[in-house]
Amino acid sequence: MKFLSRLLAIVGITLLAHHASAEPFQVSDIRVEGLQRISAGSVFAALPLAVGDTATPASLRQASRNLFNTGNFDDIQVGRDGSVLVIIVAERPSISEINIDGNKAIETEALLDGLRGAGLAVGQVFQRSTLEGMQLELQRQYVQQGRYDAAIETDVIPEPRNRVSVNITIDEGTPARIKHINIVGNTLFDEDELTKEFELKTGGWLSFFTSDDKYSKEKLTGDLEKLTSYYQDRGYLQFAIDSTQVAVSPDKSAVYITANITEGDKFTVASVDLSGDLVVDKPLLMPFVLVKEEQTYNQAAVTATEEYLTQRLGNEGYNFAKVTGIPEINEEDNTVDMKFFIDPGKRTYVRRITFAGNELTSDEVLRREMRQMESAPASQAMIDQSRVRLERLGYFSKAEVETLPVPGTDDLIDVAFTVEEQSSGSISGSVGYAQDAGLILGLNLEQANFLGSGKSIGLGINSSQYQDLYNISYTNPYFTEDGVSRGFSVFYRATDLSEINVASYTTDTIGGAISFGYPIKETQRIGLNFGVNSTTITAGRYAVQEIKASPRLETGIEGWYEQAVRDDTGAYTSVEVFNPIDTLPFSALTNADVTGFLDENGDDFFNYTITASWLQSTLNRGRLATRGASQSVSLELSLPGSDLAFYKLNYRGELFLPLSELFTLRFRTELGYGDGFGSTTELPFFEHFYAGGFGSVRGFENNTLGPRSTPPATYTISRPVTGIDADGIPTEVGGPDGTQFGYVLDPSTGKLAYTAIQDNDPDPFGGNVLIEGSIELLFPMPFIEDRSKLRSAFFIDAGNVFNTNCSAIQLNCFDIDAGELRYSVGVGVSWITGFGPMTFSLAKPMNAGPDDREEAFQFTLGRGF
């Protein structure tokens, strides 16, 4: 019944529509029927008529067209019921879901994005024509990838409430393989030479992994451009590719590519000149022209010249400048008159500089690194330098810049910087227990961008049974507006290695420093550091001989002994208690031939130091750099009034040489030398250099290369009197004849006899000369897209510590000798995490010495390589 009434209504409206088309009428009302999802307001908005208007045949036809153009309706009927305008619509269904199956070469999200851009998405109105167009486009994309047998099928399934689901089934087929690439017309160069740089290749044994024999239209276009460049870079200016044929085998599995070329003649540059509006003096522009007279024409040089001149004009504020190289060909003598036409456009100024992505770091920190200023002429060099300075801060994994024209003007731009923040600090905490050290607690915090202020702080608290270390540091890189930095540091360190019974010495040190840095150039700084510290050193019971003379009174003889006393008849009458050391002359208890540092300089030092430094850096990033170089030189010198007079000279340098987009060579070196002067005969042992481990020679334990300490010597003690019987007769008397009472004299010297303590693993002692270097091949990790936070490398490390003041008895000590350098090879990975750089290395020492300590796998958190 409902259907019948609807049918009659349609028939009536049709008749009314015919009548309505015959004569105009004034619309008293508008009635819309058939709406389900679409609101009546959307229909009214598309109509050219409103209540009170006069409906004419032309306006009714326009109403139908407007409603169809919305794309929401399959059918529209317009009629008249008296003075009421009646519109009956049949809505198109909406898409409830889209299912894609069978795709691998093109990701599902990419396909859905393409469909969405064409208007096919869940919730949108379904249009079959759009779906068919997308099906053809998708088929074309697969053909461009060489998948000629790919097939796409679509199925539209109706659902309740005027909805449909769209199913897309894809058979991607098999990529066609390139069987042959043929170049026709070449007489000057062999085909193998021409195709050597092509990305597309015929099948080889590596093609299974590289897929370089799979046809792609985009790759073919790029290879043809390489072919053109190959000829034009060698002077063949009129080279042309006449035609290209891509033939597919009947089974669509093989592709045959043929390129027909005309090589043309070789041209030489006869003259070079600049034309157009030279807003910059010609002598200032000519150094950027790479094309020279009497040279073979080179298109690459022409293109590079266009870019360099454009950049040079951009440095003067002409950011929209255009430079075009125009070769004027003289075919009679095969020469070219080269002119570069310059259209500088208007000089542009920077209206505003904006920043995005710095959620933690304040705008002020970024803005003070700007070399391009607002309201100043826009200089591309200054804009690029500003971007590089942002990356060098170490706060951001990358920084990008975009210049945006200001709408409505032709001489203003906005400069928009976008940064990606990364961890700019490290934090580490430890709780442990060791049998020899007891409970171990540690907390270390370093933050180079504290609370986004650009200021650096460091805090360290480490405590164990034998050592307490506390340090605080603070640096403000912009103490003044022109970039003068100022920093403070305070530390306290107390060690008592006698608690673990292997101590050589104990120290109690407190100190502090204030530092200043001043920029002298864009990439150079000088620094001054003023420090003061107080150090008290106590030689332990088993202090090594480089620290304190050996043998000595503290070692081997201590305590009181019983001595039997005889009367005039020789009978034992009594026993007295004494210290045998008191009975010997001092000369019998020392070894004047070997003296330690404390014997010569005392054990309590108050020192003032000044450190001057120079730093140059052109690195592209503050962390995990990939381009540029850096080097620094520092000289630390004790000042008058100090208890010790010494100096330390240090050099550090690194250089990055990109080999390709993927591979980079990194060279690193560190050199150090120190010595005493005046009354201080050598570099204090607690200022020694050490080598081994991360940042040094990997594959060896940290700080274990180079000289070893000499174990102390101990006195040889005879057995003292241990008791007497009831008659006062001693039951055991020390010494062979009972007269030496607990010690033995060396008959040849008259001094106390001693023997050296045996130590199979003497401790590293460092030296006053450091030589280190390494070569690394940096390469990207597979499947890692963001390479700014991850570095991997193959490396060769070399280095050692030497001593120019070796004593005759010191172990593993040698003067500077290239033959004593230690080498290692390995692979390392450094990854910037939220807690700081996490670094791993696996290394193999190549020439470890008998006293060196090897460590193949090494790991650290908070330090990169």
Side-chain angles (χ1 to χ4, degrees), residues 388-607:
V388 171
R389 288 182 64 87
L390 292 179
E391 289 188 334
R392 286 179 184 165
L393 287 174
Y395 310 157
F396 313 110
S397 59
K398 62 181 179 181
E400 298 177 346
V401 62
E402 185 179 7
T403 56
L404 306 172
V406 177
T409 68
D410 57 359
D411 60 351
L412 292 178
I413 62 171
D414 288 338
V415 181
F417 290 91
T418 302
V419 297
E420 182 176 317
E421 290 184 319
Q422 67 179 4
S423 172
S424 56
S426 63
I427 182 172
S428 63
S430 61
V431 178
Y433 180 83
Q435 186 176 7
D436 55 355
L439 184 64
I440 302 172
L441 300 174
L443 174 64
N444 293 279
L445 170 66
E446 293 183 6
Q447 180 56 256
N449 186 20
F450 182 65
L451 298 179
S453 65
K455 299 175 182 177
S456 173
I457 66 166
L459 172 66
I461 302 174
N462 295 273
S463 179
S464 66
Q465 179 176 331
Y466 67 93
Q467 177 174 266
D468 293 311
L469 173 62
Y470 310 95
N471 62 279
I472 300 175
S473 62
Y474 166 84
T475 302
N476 183 356
Y478 277 83
F479 174 61
T480 64
E481 292 184 358
D482 53 359
V484 175
S485 63
R486 183 182 68 174
F488 304 94
S489 63
V490 178
F491 73 93
Y492 171 76
R493 179 177 62 249
T495 61
D496 185 4
L497 299 182
S498 63
E499 290 291 335
I500 55 176
N501 204 32
V502 295
S504 294
Y505 64 96
T506 63
T507 65
D508 194 343
T509 305
I510 186 171
I514 181 173
S515 59
F516 295 92
Y518 185 79
I520 55 176
K521 289 184 178 180
E522 185 65 31
T523 58
Q524 298 182 34
R525 295 180 68 88
I526 57 174
L528 282 177
N529 179 289
F530 301 92
V532 59
N533 64 80
S534 175
T535 302
T536 300
I537 299 179
T538 303
R541 181 174 181 179
Y542 296 104
V544 297
Q545 298 190 41
E546 287 77 18
I547 295 178
K548 194 167 179 64
S550 181
R552 51 183 179 271
L553 304 184
E554 295 90 338
T555 301
I557 297 182
E558 59 183 355
W560 295 86
Y561 299 86
E562 297 175 333
Q563 174 177 323
V565 179
R566 304 183 186 192
D567 59 14
D568 293 339
T569 64
Y572 290 100
T573 59
S574 63
V575 175
E576 65 181 20
V577 179
F578 79 109
N579 188 332
I581 294 177
D582 296 337
T583 66
L584 292 174
F586 181 76
S587 61
L589 300 172
T590 60
N591 184 352
D593 297 332
V594 179
T595 58
F597 185 86
L598 299 186
D599 298 306
E600 299 179 355
N601 300 282
D603 55 12
D604 197 356
F605 313 107
F606 195 86
N607 295 319

Side-chain angles (χ1 to χ4, degrees), residues 252-500:
K252 299 182 179 181
S253 64
V255 173
Y256 302 87
I257 300 174
T258 301
N260 298 284
I261 66 173
T262 299
E263 292 177 320
D265 296 326
K266 190 174 184 178
F267 286 82
T268 303
V269 177
S271 64
V272 181
D273 199 6
L274 303 179
S275 62
D277 186 5
L278 302 184
V279 292
V280 178
D281 291 342
K282 187 175 181 178
L284 298 178
L285 294 177
M286 287 305 296
F288 297 92
V289 178
L290 304 183
V291 181
K292 305 299 181 182
E293 294 181 2
E294 299 184 358
Q295 287 184 348
T296 300
Y297 178 85
N298 187 311
Q299 183 60 43
V302 173
T303 303
T305 300
E306 292 172 344
E307 294 176 354
Y308 290 157
L309 289 175
T310 301
Q311 292 177 3
R312 181 63 180 85
L313 294 169
N315 295 342
E316 299 296 329
Y318 298 94
N319 285 74
F320 302 116
K322 295 180 181 179
V323 179
T324 305
I326 304 175
E328 296 181 359
I329 300 175
N330 186 346
E331 296 185 356
E332 294 180 359
D333 57 1
N334 290 338
T335 60
V336 174
D337 293 324
M338 198 69 218
K339 290 187 178 180
F340 291 93
F341 181 80
I342 296 176
D343 178 12
K346 282 191 176 181
R347 195 174 193 182
T348 52
Y349 295 81
V350 175
R351 183 187 70 165
R352 184 180 298 115
I353 298 176
T354 61
F355 305 99
N358 53 318
E359 298 179 1
L360 172 65
T361 309
S362 66
D363 278 8
E364 178 187 358
V365 174
L366 282 72
R367 193 168 295 278
R368 66 193 184 192
E369 300 297 330
M370 295 295 101
R371 292 300 175 260
Q372 172 66 60
M373 299 294 128
E374 293 179 341
S375 301
S379 169
Q380 191 61 46
M382 293 297 183
I383 294 173
D384 291 339
Q385 183 63 29
S386 300
R387 180 191 59 80
V388 171
R389 288 182 64 87
L390 292 179
E391 289 188 334
R392 286 179 184 165
L393 287 174
Y395 310 157
F396 313 110
S397 59
K398 62 181 179 181
E400 298 177 346
V401 62
E402 185 179 7
T403 56
L404 306 172
V406 177
T409 68
D410 57 359
D411 60 351
L412 292 178
I413 62 171
D414 288 338
V415 181
F417 290 91
T418 302
V419 297
E420 182 176 317
E421 290 184 319
Q422 67 179 4
S423 172
S424 56
S426 63
I427 182 172
S428 63
S430 61
V431 178
Y433 180 83
Q435 186 176 7
D436 55 355
L439 184 64
I440 302 172
L441 300 174
L443 174 64
N444 293 279
L445 170 66
E446 293 183 6
Q447 180 56 256
N449 186 20
F450 182 65
L451 298 179
S453 65
K455 299 175 182 177
S456 173
I457 66 166
L459 172 66
I461 302 174
N462 295 273
S463 179
S464 66
Q465 179 176 331
Y466 67 93
Q467 177 174 266
D468 293 311
L469 173 62
Y470 310 95
N471 62 279
I472 300 175
S473 62
Y474 166 84
T475 302
N476 183 356
Y478 277 83
F479 174 61
T480 64
E481 292 184 358
D482 53 359
V484 175
S485 63
R486 183 182 68 174
F488 304 94
S489 63
V490 178
F491 73 93
Y492 171 76
R493 179 177 62 249
T495 61
D496 185 4
L497 299 182
S498 63
E499 290 291 335
I500 55 176

